[in-house]
Amino acid sequence: MGSAELQQSQTNRKKVFKPTDLSIKDFNGRVPSYLHQPNTPLGLYYFVRDLFCVGAFWYLGTLIDPLSSHLAKLGFSSAALITRWTLWPLYWFFQSLAMSALWVLGHECGHRAFSSSQAVCDAVGYVCHSFTGTPYFSWKITHHVHHSFHGSYERDSHHIPKTRSELGIPPEAPGKAVNYSEFIEDTPIYTISMLLVHQLIGFPLFLATNLGGQRSFPAFSSHYNPWATALFKPSQRFAIVASDIGIFSVIMACVYSSKFYGWLAVWKYYIIPWLGVNHWIMVIVYLQHTDPEIPHYRSGEWTYVRGAACTVDRPLLGELGRIFFHDVAHFHVAHHLFPRMPFYHTEEATKIIKEILGDHYLYHERYWIPNLLHSFQSCQFVEDEGQILFYKDKNGEAAVEVVGESN
């Protein structure tokens, strides 16, 4: 995995990090302008394709219980049970991917990378995000803040590390060891429980309560609150209300459907895949911004390019991920540098970006499950002092040593 001039230190075996001095001008001169141009017909093709996948998987899902019942009537009770408990998880897996594809297209729309028409972007994005449980305009606004200040400890909008003092951990002092186990819970049951909460409802909790966002924001800094002044301007309140109406419409559609088909059917066909969407969002976004080798910058060291390089490209789910995640995981560094670049151009742009960034380009090939567990356990806190921050683990150790930091 590359990093900003990461080398093995001969003294303590830690990797050594020196921040880049590149500017966005170094990239603008080499990335062709046509890579920034969205193709509306192509974007609409992907929208229709993803809608078709959702509909096709939904239809196939309606065949599972009748098939199982038919096998049971024929006397194959074991086969019926196996069929039901094999095909439903398969449906949930693939439907969660198809719905995630729509969510990623909504993300593209929020950046106006889907079409040159703002109206087309907002119409498609509103449908995609409302259906997948995200308030479109609300998240579009705060996500723009993230892309304006990615990697900034003070100004980024999400995945802000907790500090030593926030966890109540005393500072290290010569001759005085800190027992980190007194402050950091790492039992297997606790880790698994927190990981499940993180993966299934972590994103909805962030939207509803700002969990994981800037902790200086006042209470009720919710994406559903039009009067959340830390997140939105007064002129944006109508957009927030419109976002809430989209989410409320989907909730009412679930309630209405439950009266005809029962809540069990609503859970099987929609809610469980929706939880899967939340899971994939957290896999993608968490691993893109949380890693022992990803820095965070305080204001004295932050620049746009340094912040843009604070993410990792990874081939999540291989070709399956490219189909359903629209390259948002495979080529995220390019997206950080050029958020309005359509996803179908980021692969070509990444080839150029890698040459410019050199060792500052971050890439992981590790499978996502061990990668997720590793980051979840290793990224515990950052120090209260310093301008360039790297996560420390449950033993108070950082994987990276910083050099070249200004005072």
Side-chain angles (χ1 to χ4, degrees):
M1 172 178 166
S3 180
E5 296 190 18
L6 287 175
Q7 303 169 346
Q8 290 294 336
S9 169
Q10 298 300 315
T11 56
N12 57 13
R13 305 299 295 172
K14 286 185 178 181
K15 292 182 177 179
V16 176
F17 176 91
K18 184 177 180 181
T20 179
D21 291 322
L22 292 167
S23 73
I24 195 64
K25 294 180 180 179
D26 296 307
F27 299 87
N28 287 336
R30 294 189 55 185
V31 176
S33 59
Y34 70 86
L35 295 182
H36 299 280
Q37 303 304 315
N39 183 327
T40 301
L42 182 58
L44 291 172
Y45 157 75
Y46 282 112
F47 177 54
V48 172
R49 187 203 72 174
D50 293 344
L51 283 176
F52 173 81
C53 288
V54 170
F57 291 141
W58 195 293
Y59 171 73
L60 292 174
T62 65
L63 304 178
I64 296 174
D65 285 343
L67 176 60
S68 299
S69 298
H70 182 67
L71 289 173
K73 289 179 181 179
L74 294 176
F76 302 111
S77 56
S78 296
L81 188 64
I82 293 172
T83 297
R84 179 176 285 111
W85 285 102
T86 300
L87 295 184
W88 274 117
L90 281 174
Y91 167 78
W92 295 329
F93 174 73
F94 282 102
Q95 188 65 292
S96 72
L97 291 179
M99 290 172 63
S100 296
L102 287 175
W103 186 90
V104 175
L105 286 186
H107 165 263
E108 286 278 299
C109 291
H111 284 294
R112 202 172 171 179
F114 183 87
S115 169
S116 57
S117 167
Q118 186 67 65
V120 171
C121 286
D122 287 343
V124 173
Y126 187 79
V127 170
C128 289
H129 272 187
S130 296
F131 177 67
T132 52
T134 298
Y136 172 70
F137 293 106
S138 309
W139 189 74
K140 169 186 172 181
I141 292 166
T142 63
H143 192 59
H144 175 73
V145 174
H146 164 65
H147 276 278
S148 298
F149 301 103
H150 32 38
S152 167
Y153 181 80
E154 295 95 348
R155 303 192 68 178
D156 203 346
S157 61
H158 60 74
H159 289 92
I160 311 302
K162 291 186 177 180
T163 62
R164 176 186 289 270
S165 62
E166 286 178 315
L167 295 182
I169 305 173
E172 294 183 345
K176 186 178 180 180
V178 176
N179 185 0
Y180 285 93
S181 63
E182 295 181 2
F183 306 94
I184 299 174
E185 180 64 65
D186 66 341
T187 62
I189 293 178
Y190 176 85
T191 300
I192 292 173
S193 299
M194 290 297 99
L195 192 56
L196 285 173
V197 171
H198 180 269
Q199 290 304 116
L200 297 179
I201 60 173
F203 186 58
L205 285 175
F206 164 71
L207 295 174
T209 69
N210 191 44
L211 183 66
Q214 285 290 345
R215 290 177 290 282
S216 61
F217 287 176
F220 306 109
S221 293
S222 168
H223 284 70
Y224 303 104
N225 180 6
W227 290 271
T229 56
L231 301 179
F232 312 119
K233 301 175 182 177
S235 60
Q236 296 169 330
R237 285 175 183 164
F238 178 78
I240 311 311
V241 172
S243 302
D244 292 348
I245 290 172
I247 298 300
F248 182 74
S249 299
V250 173
I251 293 173
M252 292 309 298
C254 289
V255 173
Y256 182 79
S257 298
S258 71
K259 294 180 178 180
F260 289 91
Y261 307 105
W263 275 109
L264 180 60
V266 174
W267 269 89
K268 288 193 298 185
Y269 285 100
Y270 178 77
I271 295 179
I272 293 178
W274 171 76
L275 291 172
V277 173
N278 293 327
H279 159 72
W280 291 120
I281 291 173
M282 292 306 290
V283 168
I284 293 168
V285 177
Y286 179 76
L287 290 181
Q288 284 170 345
H289 303 94
T290 310
D291 188 273
E293 295 181 11
I294 292 179
H296 286 77
Y297 295 92
R298 290 197 168 99
S299 57
E301 287 284 350
W302 184 87
T303 67
Y304 180 82
V305 170
R306 287 181 180 183
C310 293
T311 191
V312 182
D313 285 352
R314 58 170 43 79
L316 181 62
L317 297 186
E319 288 302 312
L320 195 65
R322 295 201 64 179
I323 293 170
F324 288 110
F325 298 147
H326 297 303
D327 288 340
V328 74
H330 283 66
F331 310 113
H332 199 67
V333 176
H335 176 66
H336 258 203
L337 283 164
F338 304 108
R340 289 188 63 175
M341 178 180 289
F343 74 88
Y344 39 81
H345 289 323
T346 53
E347 181 178 15
E348 183 176 349
T350 296
K351 297 175 183 177
I352 301 169
I353 290 167
K354 286 172 65 176
E355 293 179 0
I356 300 171
L357 282 175
D359 288 340
H360 297 87
Y361 174 75
L362 300 177
Y363 180 81
H364 263 318
E365 284 191 342
R366 182 187 295 179
Y367 189 60
W368 70 267
I369 294 178
N371 204 171
L372 181 66
L373 289 170
H374 175 68
S375 290
F376 203 75
Q377 293 177 317
S378 299
C379 299
Q380 297 291 337
F381 68 95
V382 296
E383 292 292 350
D384 294 279
E385 299 83 22
Q387 290 291 313
I388 303 176
L389 311 171
F390 282 92
Y391 274 109
K392 292 193 171 182
D393 61 18
K394 61 185 179 181
N395 298 313
E397 292 291 334
V400 178
E401 177 183 346
V402 178
V403 297
E405 179 179 356
S406 62
N407 295 323

